[in-house]
Amino acid sequence: MHLYRTRILSVRRVSHPVTIYIPSVESRRAFSAIQTPQQSTRLGTFAGSRGRQTGVPRSRTMANPRPELEKQYMSTKPTKKVAEPRPSASILLLSPTNEILLLHRVRTSSSFPSAHVFPGGNLSASQDGDIPGPNDEGRHVDGRSYRVGAIRECFEESGILLARKKGGEGGLLEVGEEERERARRSIHAGKERFEEWVERVGGVVDVEALHPFTRWVTPTNLPKRFTTQMYLYFLPLTESTSKCISSKSVIPVPTSDGGLEHTAALFAPCSSWLSQARQNSIILFPPQFYLMYLLAPFLTPAPSSSSPLSTSALQKQRDAVLEFLKGDGGDGKGIKWADKVMSPMGIMMRKSDGRSVLGLDKPGPELRESGRRGDEKRVVLVKFGKEGPRNVEVRERREVLAEEKEGESKL
């Protein structure tokens, strides 16, 4: 099945789509290079704002205003009206070479502008089945509507259909390119139901192959809140995996109305995405950085493109990930990754570098009495800027607190 050969539709109407492949490592580097902050100042900067203003006495120079995200994550004052978190779902989609798919969102997006994100989005009652209500016990629990929504959103956003042939024979369902692209636009516009279309073309949505991997509840001080179920999905390994071009395919994602929610989609190793984020070449929000940080030690890429990993080596990596998911992450609380719930909240501001320290141990007010918890071992360090999170890092909580205490003792 040619999952990774995709047509690129221009924003302007054209008579013939064009098929593009990215066959080399150099092309991937070029893709990264075009996203540098110097070449895409997404939401503006405070260039020169730290300096003295002409004609203004030094004592009257104003300090930089705090970025909105920093104020929201670090504030201890609750908002007057806490927004109800909307159900959503995302997929950490692994290619046949164990690389992960990220989509580059447009800067005008209302959620995660200019960031690289996993495919996913809000659940739809008309598409995904019965969605548990705000007071329903299943609202913040993995369920069928979350799974269908995750797979539907992945299809709409990337064109990759996670569906099996009816009867369980063979691998993933193959759909002709013309019909697949037509269905993407039609389903996105709500003109036909996703599962009904999948059934018509001879398949069934592959909900059983999704592995729950944490839930994230937006903190209460943010105006838009979500309760997002994260999943892992492994695209099938094949005997020709080592020759597969899938990890080198750039997949632009046009919307049905001629605009774009995402400018591109790319499979790359977790370590590569993390490296780009550490260099501030791309924007990764804490959930994306954190989850890839957890997976990276298990999904080591091949040393070179000329020496690809064997199918057995790739399977061993996957087996190690699945074994990891059975544990509690080392915090000793006994809550497996499928049941962990994270609602990132500010613990403190580091005096050494001005970064916010976000705790991941609390599940949010909606789940305060549920007995579920997040990660009590790790924290996320992040510098919230005008354009989004920068200098993101995952550290052990005790180390960060010890460093801060030691720094205070030297003052």
Side-chain angles (χ1 to χ4, degrees):
M1 174 179 181
H2 300 293
L3 278 175
Y4 309 99
R5 178 182 178 186
T6 182
R7 291 183 185 274
I8 296 181
L9 303 180
S10 171
V11 173
R12 298 189 301 271
R13 293 189 177 183
V14 295
S15 57
H16 298 288
V18 179
T19 301
I20 290 182
Y21 296 100
I22 306 298
S24 65
V25 174
E26 288 73 18
S27 296
R28 180 180 297 170
R29 290 171 179 164
F31 176 85
S32 301
I34 64 172
Q35 302 172 72
T36 59
Q38 292 82 0
Q39 292 173 310
S40 58
T41 306
R42 297 179 175 91
L43 297 179
T45 62
F46 287 110
S49 60
R50 293 181 182 274
R52 181 179 179 182
Q53 299 179 13
T54 303
V56 179
R58 185 177 299 273
S59 60
R60 293 179 60 189
T61 300
M62 296 180 64
N64 290 331
R66 293 174 66 192
E68 194 63 29
L69 278 174
E70 181 182 297
K71 289 189 290 185
Q72 291 167 344
Y73 274 94
M74 301 304 294
S75 175
T76 57
K77 297 180 181 179
T79 55
K80 293 181 180 179
K81 184 179 180 180
V82 176
E84 175 65 34
R86 299 178 60 183
S88 65
S90 291
I91 296 179
L92 283 73
L93 184 63
L94 268 66
S95 75
T97 52
N98 287 352
E99 297 184 337
I100 198 161
L101 176 66
L102 289 187
L103 312 177
H104 186 196
R105 292 184 71 85
V106 296
R107 66 178 182 177
T108 54
S109 173
S110 60
S111 299
F112 306 110
S114 297
H116 280 71
V117 298
F118 307 128
N122 294 329
L123 302 194
S124 167
S126 63
Q127 289 282 3
D128 307 323
D130 294 333
I131 301 173
N135 298 321
D136 194 310
E137 291 183 358
R139 181 76 164 188
H140 306 282
V141 178
D142 169 37
R144 196 175 194 285
S145 60
Y146 279 102
R147 293 185 176 226
V148 173
I151 292 175
R152 174 185 55 78
E153 284 284 342
C154 180
F155 175 64
E156 289 181 16
E157 293 184 337
S158 73
I160 298 175
L161 178 60
L162 306 180
R164 296 279 176 181
K165 298 176 182 177
K166 284 183 181 178
E169 297 179 1
L172 291 177
L173 177 68
E174 294 185 40
V175 179
E177 202 163 356
E178 182 177 348
E179 171 61 15
R180 184 176 69 244
E181 294 305 311
R182 183 207 65 78
R184 285 178 66 187
R185 296 189 295 270
S186 179
I187 293 167
H188 177 78
K191 296 180 180 179
E192 59 185 311
R193 296 191 72 245
F194 175 57
E195 282 197 276
E196 291 177 356
W197 171 76
V198 172
E199 185 176 359
R200 275 202 313 274
V201 294
V204 58
V205 179
D206 197 16
V207 293
E208 298 301 324
L210 291 171
H211 301 275
F213 184 31
T214 71
R215 175 176 290 269
W216 294 74
V217 178
T218 311
T220 56
N221 283 315
L222 273 72
K224 291 185 178 181
R225 301 183 65 222
F226 303 92
T227 173
T228 304
Q229 180 65 56
M230 298 288 190
Y231 296 101
L232 269 174
Y233 188 100
F234 300 98
L235 287 168
L237 297 174
T238 65
E239 293 302 320
S240 59
T241 287
S242 62
K243 300 178 182 178
C244 184
I245 66 165
S246 62
S247 63
K248 303 177 180 66
S249 298
V250 175
I251 314 170
V253 190
T255 61
S256 58
D257 60 1
L260 294 174
E261 293 181 4
H262 308 91
T263 59
L266 181 72
F267 281 103
C270 286
S271 56
S272 176
W273 290 123
L274 295 172
S275 176
Q276 291 181 66
R278 290 181 179 118
Q279 297 169 21
N280 291 329
S281 297
I282 63 172
I283 294 175
L284 290 180
F285 274 74
Q288 284 77 20
F289 190 99
Y290 170 84
L291 292 175
M292 287 195 289
Y293 170 86
L294 294 177
L295 294 179
F298 306 107
L299 303 176
T300 306
S304 68
S305 57
S306 60
S307 303
L309 297 176
S310 66
T311 302
S312 60
L314 292 167
Q315 185 59 55
K316 286 181 180 179
Q317 291 186 346
R318 295 182 173 199
D319 292 341
V321 170
L322 293 175
E323 188 64 29
F324 171 73
L325 294 185
K326 296 178 182 177
D328 66 358
D331 63 6
K333 301 302 179 181
I335 300 175
K336 295 181 180 180
W337 288 107
D339 299 316
K340 285 185 182 293
V341 185
M342 324 282 189
S343 185
M345 293 297 293
I347 298 176
M348 63 181 179
M349 294 283 291
R350 279 165 55 100
K351 295 178 181 178
S352 58
D353 56 17
R355 284 189 292 177
S356 303
V357 179
L358 305 182
L360 305 174
D361 53 324
K362 293 181 171 56
E366 291 81 9
L367 292 164
R368 188 175 291 126
E369 306 299 327
S370 68
R372 297 170 68 184
R373 300 282 291 178
D375 186 350
E376 305 203 16
K377 182 179 180 180
R378 303 166 185 85
V379 294
V380 174
L381 282 64
V382 56
K383 180 68 174 179
F384 289 112
K386 181 77 172 178
E387 73 282 7
R390 295 296 194 183
N391 302 329
V392 186
E393 184 182 7
V394 178
R395 297 273 305 278
E396 288 200 12
R397 185 187 186 107
R398 59 179 179 81
E399 292 179 354
V400 173
L401 296 179
E403 284 180 1
E404 195 67 15
K405 185 176 182 180
E406 182 181 352
E408 290 177 353
S409 65
K410 294 179 179 179
L411 296 178

